[in-house]
Amino acid sequence: MSEKLMSKKKPAYPVSKKLDDYLEHYSRKIEIPIFYEDLLRFSGSVVVYDSDDKDTLWVRVYYSEYDRIEIDISLKKVYSILHSDGSDSIFPFLNVDAVDFCTFGNSQPFRIKVRNILNDNFTYFYVKKTDASRIYGLELEHMLSPYNLNFLVYKDTLIEEHIAGIPGDVFIKDILPNCTESEKSQLAKEFVKFNERCMIRLLGDMRSYNYVIVPTHDFDHVVYKIRAIDFDQQCYEGKLKVYRPQFFKENYLMVMLVKEKLQRNSVDQYKIEERSIVAKRILSSGNRIKRLMAISRVDHISNPENIAALSQHIHELTGDISFKNCTSMGEVLSLALDFVRRNYEDVSMKQILENKYRQ
């Protein structure tokens, strides 16, 4: 199913001058000492296997001695900019344990493992090629999801912090079967809300390996949340189903969980809850999201065929004729968010008037 939904390959779109100015204004654009292209100078690689000796689709790369010294210092500097004050005072306590390269997917990222040698704590960050679609996706995730995101952009290089969690495909295969019935119900609820959130902000391709499950221990039980980790397919495709995780075969067991554990009324309730939460975040984001949407409306981040198709699909779903005249994917996205916000405000105002009438 998922192969038919997606285009063969999405192109990377350059960052426009207006988007570049936006990134600088909100401290996302910071000069870094290394570029994506620099990391491609590796002299060899070995396959990275998981604990079950299966190919992870990542390879561990290595560099010549001269390049390695320079790259190590530069990656420590990037870590300091991303997670600290940007100074080199922490360099003696850091070690770059691994540089991994992934040939799977569009972005072909580098994954950098940095360890604190004093206590062996480690973290990851990613070095990718800049893509305007991904930047819009990261910014919208930062503003409209429950999670803040830390990332940096400089010229053709994008630095992203690691999002911790259990990969969705691993969780579905190894952990879901052993969950309690209560945990399964809670997971079903979270999948409904995640599905709704992705559709509202037009984040596509949420197959199980593009999101993580984050467990949190709360008193005597575990609460699970679902977080997107790949933002490459932000408002590019023309099929509305691409923006609804429920239509990917990799999520079949999660969809079945929803059918088994939730009644129709509960599903509708959770959708309304998520739309209301997103609407509140749109309102609280104020000028920042308004500025981002104004930039997206004149940006080129998809092709005319996809724009026309998605506009038609959303028009059929909402009945809003505004979608029939869209000329850019940013306009489709902006109208979609505005539709959610207006509906929330209309319902809120109706509730206020009803309460006054009762008084």
Side-chain angles (χ1 to χ4, degrees):
M1 181 188 296
S2 52
E3 289 77 14
K4 295 179 181 178
L5 284 179
M6 304 291 298
S7 301
K8 288 185 178 180
K9 186 172 178 64
K10 170 193 163 292
Y13 289 97
V15 175
S16 67
K17 177 63 168 62
K18 289 184 178 181
L19 182 56
D20 190 62
D21 291 342
Y22 169 94
L23 294 169
E24 186 168 15
H25 180 78
Y26 289 104
S27 301
R28 297 295 200 187
K29 179 185 175 183
I30 298 176
E31 186 173 351
I32 55 176
I34 194 168
F35 295 104
Y36 178 88
E37 297 297 326
D38 295 329
L39 293 178
L40 290 174
R41 301 200 311 255
F42 55 86
S43 55
S45 65
V46 293
V47 176
V48 177
Y49 296 97
D50 64 16
S51 57
D52 296 322
D53 289 329
K54 293 182 179 178
D55 188 346
T56 62
L57 302 179
W58 290 84
V59 295
R60 186 146 298 164
V61 302
Y62 52 90
Y63 301 85
S64 66
E65 185 175 354
Y66 173 79
D67 282 339
R68 181 70 193 185
I69 294 171
E70 179 186 355
I71 286 172
D72 266 22
I73 293 173
S74 297
L75 291 175
K76 289 177 183 179
K77 183 69 174 178
V78 170
Y79 174 90
S80 181
I81 295 171
L82 190 65
H83 292 291
S84 187
D85 60 0
S87 71
D88 58 3
S89 60
I90 62 173
F91 285 14
F93 314 118
L94 301 178
N95 189 70
V96 179
D97 277 8
V99 178
D100 298 334
F101 179 59
C102 182
T103 58
F104 177 72
N106 282 333
S107 60
Q108 296 188 321
F110 284 94
R111 180 178 62 196
I112 317 300
K113 181 180 179 181
V114 178
R115 176 171 55 89
N116 185 309
I117 61 175
L118 298 179
N119 51 35
D120 277 344
N121 285 331
F122 63 87
T123 189
Y124 299 95
F125 65 86
Y126 298 85
V127 181
K128 303 177 180 180
K129 289 180 287 188
T130 301
D131 175 18
S133 297
R134 180 178 291 275
I135 290 170
Y136 285 116
L138 288 164
E139 272 293 285
L140 287 171
E141 181 74 4
H142 179 76
M143 286 186 273
L144 302 184
S145 83
Y147 315 103
N148 292 331
L149 278 181
N150 191 13
F151 68 93
L152 305 171
V153 181
Y154 186 62
K155 296 184 178 179
D156 63 349
T157 298
L158 171 65
I159 309 293
E160 286 182 33
E161 69 176 350
H162 175 64
I163 298 174
I166 305 167
D169 54 340
V170 174
F171 184 94
I172 291 170
K173 177 178 175 289
D174 298 335
I175 301 177
L176 181 59
N178 299 317
C179 287
T180 65
E181 296 308 307
S182 175
E183 289 171 343
K184 288 179 179 178
S185 293
Q186 198 259 328
L187 277 163
K189 169 188 172 182
E190 287 304 313
F191 188 77
V192 169
K193 294 172 81 79
F194 178 66
N195 189 78
E196 192 70 11
R197 187 162 68 246
C198 290
M199 184 182 68
I200 290 171
R201 43 79 57 95
L202 299 181
L203 177 62
D205 193 21
M206 280 300 107
R207 286 174 275 193
S208 56
Y209 47 78
N210 286 332
Y211 60 81
V212 293
I213 310 292
V214 183
T216 303
H217 291 269
D218 183 26
F219 293 107
D220 59 348
H221 67 288
V222 179
V223 176
Y224 294 102
K225 299 292 183 181
I226 303 177
R227 274 192 84 172
I229 60 172
D230 194 324
F231 305 94
D232 182 58
Q233 292 288 342
Q234 175 63 52
C235 57
Y236 169 74
E237 295 282 352
K239 298 175 182 176
L240 185 58
K241 286 183 176 181
V242 170
Y243 306 103
R244 305 177 73 180
Q246 70 185 78
F247 288 106
F248 289 99
K249 69 179 187 213
E250 291 85 353
N251 296 326
Y252 175 76
L253 291 179
M254 296 296 282
V255 174
M256 289 299 101
L257 204 62
V258 172
K259 290 185 176 180
E260 292 169 8
K261 295 297 179 182
L262 302 180
Q263 297 180 3
R264 181 73 250 178
N265 288 344
S266 294
V267 172
D268 292 340
Q269 173 199 337
Y270 296 141
K271 287 182 177 181
I272 292 171
E273 286 180 8
E274 193 60 30
R275 286 197 292 270
S276 299
I277 291 171
V278 171
K280 290 174 183 176
R281 292 190 183 116
I282 292 171
L283 291 168
S284 65
S285 295
N287 288 332
R288 181 165 183 164
I289 197 166
K290 289 178 182 176
R291 184 172 179 178
L292 185 68
M293 289 301 96
I295 295 166
S296 73
R297 284 196 292 269
V298 295
D299 210 345
H300 177 63
I301 51 176
S302 189
N303 60 54
E305 295 78 14
N306 287 350
I307 296 167
L310 188 59
S311 299
Q312 182 61 30
H313 290 318
I314 299 182
H315 168 247
E316 292 170 357
L317 177 68
T318 63
D320 189 333
I321 59 172
S322 301
F323 289 99
K324 297 188 74 173
N325 301 314
C326 291
T327 57
S328 72
M329 195 59 89
E331 191 176 358
V332 178
L333 173 62
S334 181
L335 286 172
L337 295 181
D338 194 54
F339 180 85
V340 171
R341 177 192 60 79
R342 284 188 288 108
N343 278 353
Y344 169 76
E345 289 181 325
D346 288 347
V347 171
S348 297
M349 182 57 66
K350 181 180 178 182
Q351 188 64 46
I352 291 171
L353 293 173
E354 287 178 352
N355 289 339
K356 284 186 177 180
Y357 177 76
R358 291 193 191 100
Q359 293 172 357

